[in-house]
Amino acid sequence: MNLDKFVLAQNMAFLIAIPPKSNLAKLLSFCLATKVRKKMTGTELLKITSELMENPSNLPYWTQEVMGLDLDYSSEEWKALGEMGINDAGEFMAMVSQELENLTL
C-alpha cells in the first residue's frame, strides 16, 4: 500500500473509532463543514489547528477564524458550531482530550 493510501486508511480508522455523539465528533463535524480559500496550504491549516491544541481555551476565537477562512460564514458552519454545544471552551476541549486518550486504535 502506498503512503497516501495508508494515511487515508489510518485517518478513516480514526474517524470510525470516534463515538458519534462525542465532543471530538462534534469538533470534527465542524471542521468538515468549513471551507478554505484555494490558496491556503495544508501547512497553514496545520498551524491553525495546532494552535488550538496548544491553547484549547481559544476555541471560541479559533472557530470564528476557521469559519472565516473562505471569507464566508455559511449556514452549514453555523449549524455545526451550534451542534457543538459549547458552554465552556476549556471544559469542551478537556473532554476532547479525554476522548482522544480513550480511543483504541
Side-chain angles (χ1 to χ4, degrees):
M1 180 181 317
N2 71 29
L3 183 60
D4 289 340
K5 287 183 181 179
F6 175 76
V7 170
L8 177 59
Q10 187 178 36
N11 285 307
M12 289 170 60
F14 171 75
L15 292 171
I16 292 167
I18 297 170
K21 303 290 184 195
S22 66
N23 283 2
L24 180 56
K26 293 173 187 175
L27 177 61
L28 294 174
S29 291
F30 171 78
C31 292
L32 288 171
T34 62
K35 308 289 183 279
V36 297
R37 284 176 265 156
K38 292 179 184 177
K39 294 182 180 181
M40 182 159 270
T41 67
T43 302
E44 292 170 309
L45 292 172
L46 183 57
K47 182 178 185 254
I48 291 169
T49 55
S50 294
E51 288 171 357
L52 175 63
M53 296 300 105
E54 293 297 320
N55 299 298
S57 63
N58 287 340
L59 180 62
Y61 307 104
W62 181 86
T63 56
Q64 294 301 305
E65 178 183 4
V66 171
M67 286 174 67
L69 288 176
D70 63 350
L71 306 176
D72 180 35
Y73 293 82
S74 72
S75 58
E76 292 84 9
E77 291 169 332
W78 284 113
K79 181 180 179 209
L81 178 61
E83 288 174 352
M84 289 171 73
I86 302 167
N87 294 319
D88 180 309
E91 184 179 307
F92 182 91
M93 290 303 292
M95 182 61 75
V96 167
S97 292
Q98 185 62 51
E99 291 165 356
L100 278 171
E101 287 179 26
N102 292 341
L103 283 180
T104 52
L105 294 174

